Amino acid sequence: DAKTTQPTSMDCAEGRAANLPCNHSTISGNEYVYWYRQIHSQGPQYIIHGLKNNETNEMASLIITEDRKSSTLILPHATLRDTAVYYCIVRWNAGNNRKLIWGLGTSLAVNP
Amino acid sequence: NAGVTQTPKFQVLKTGQSMTLQCAQDMNHEYMSWYRQDPGMGLRLIHYSVGAGITDQGEVPNGYNVSRSTTEDFPLRLLSAAPSQTSVYFCASSYRDRDYGYTFGSGTRLTVV
């Protein structure tokens, strides 16, 4: 599985968009990009995933560059409840291979 | 719909004791897994299962056993607890063929003294 690089921490003002970058320069053609978040002491929560195209759901948008070497998770209107550690993970999506490799993520602080 | 339920939420063990961490899901997910999370480290996969009767090792399987006799349950057994196994343990599940992401339990905080 490809490794990912994320900034250690970021700040965002409440109500503004939070843009969380992720570098995955060694990603291969059949590896998906996943984003999860972990609010203090809770289990990780799935946010969104994508392969090539940009994706959007009720929680966030995922922008993947054309060469797929990086991506950005966008929380369009951050709230205090979005303060969490955000993990970017790439994983090969085939058969029984389910080994997500987790890094340390980005600690996002949403400030009032 | 309870999702993924882990018990207990907290546990203190003495070195050498054994115990079982329970994980149950009610979503009919084929895939289940156990992770541990330590300060300064990302989540690390211990064991996983793609269906009843099938298990496999993850990154850090030593000192842990699993079995999967039913689709719903995936218990994690610590054979002889060591202080190095002090950690927060998370269970996760997902569909095998439909990738909607993993659902995680709320975790078990284990301290081995």
Side-chain angles (χ1 to χ4, degrees):
Chain A
D1 294 328
K3 292 183 179 178
T4 61
T5 304
Q6 298 177 254
T8 303
S9 63
M10 294 182 64
D11 288 310
C12 177
E14 189 177 18
R16 304 294 294 269
N19 298 288
L20 291 89
C22 179
N23 199 312
H24 31 80
S25 57
T26 59
I27 195 170
S28 62
N30 53 6
E31 287 187 315
Y32 282 71
V33 180
Y34 287 80
W35 283 84
Y36 284 78
R37 73 180 182 184
Q38 187 173 25
I39 297 171
H40 181 63
S41 298
Q42 297 181 19
Q45 177 189 24
Y46 166 79
I47 301 173
I48 199 167
H49 74 284
L51 181 63
K52 297 180 184 178
N53 301 321
N54 299 336
E55 303 286 346
T56 296
N57 62 21
E58 65 279 3
M59 290 183 67
S61 295
L62 174 60
I63 308 297
I64 303 174
T65 58
E66 192 170 343
D67 63 7
R68 303 207 328 118
K69 293 185 177 182
S70 66
S71 61
T72 301
L73 178 75
I74 301 172
L75 308 177
H77 304 287
T79 71
L80 298 179
R81 289 179 293 181
D82 291 321
T83 292
V85 178
Y86 288 78
Y87 297 96
C88 168
I89 304 157
V90 295
R91 190 210 82 179
W92 184 42
N93 189 37
N96 291 339
N97 186 332
R98 292 282 183 157
K99 298 181 182 181
L100 296 182
I101 307 298
W102 297 69
L104 295 178
T106 295
S107 179
L108 175 68
V110 180
N111 304 309
Chain B
N1 191 339
V4 177
T5 302
Q6 290 186 236
T7 56
K9 292 191 183 303
F10 301 93
Q11 183 71 48
V12 179
L13 285 180
K14 294 182 179 179
T15 298
Q17 286 185 318
S18 62
M19 80 160 294
T20 300
L21 280 62
Q22 302 291 344
C23 175
Q25 52 90 11
D26 61 358
M27 298 169 284
N28 204 30
H29 285 169
E30 300 93 344
Y31 178 80
M32 297 185 74
S33 57
W34 278 100
Y35 287 87
R36 60 178 289 174
Q37 186 173 34
D38 303 298
M41 304 186 73
L43 279 78
R44 291 183 293 168
L45 182 65
I46 304 171
H47 286 285
Y48 67 100
S49 168
V50 297
I54 305 170
T55 63
D56 203 351
Q57 296 181 349
E59 296 176 79
V60 288
N62 293 339
Y64 307 95
N65 273 358
V66 292
S67 60
R68 184 96 179 270
S69 56
T70 67
T71 299
E72 295 78 19
D73 301 298
F74 190 45
L76 178 71
R77 297 182 187 86
L78 279 69
L79 308 173
S80 177
S84 61
Q85 294 178 304
T86 293
S87 187
V88 181
Y89 292 85
F90 290 102
C91 179
S93 71
S94 73
Y95 289 112
R96 179 173 177 175
D97 296 324
R98 285 177 285 161
D99 208 345
Y100 296 143
Y102 296 160
T103 300
F104 280 80
S106 58
T108 295
R109 290 187 174 274
L110 176 68
T111 301
V112 182
V113 297

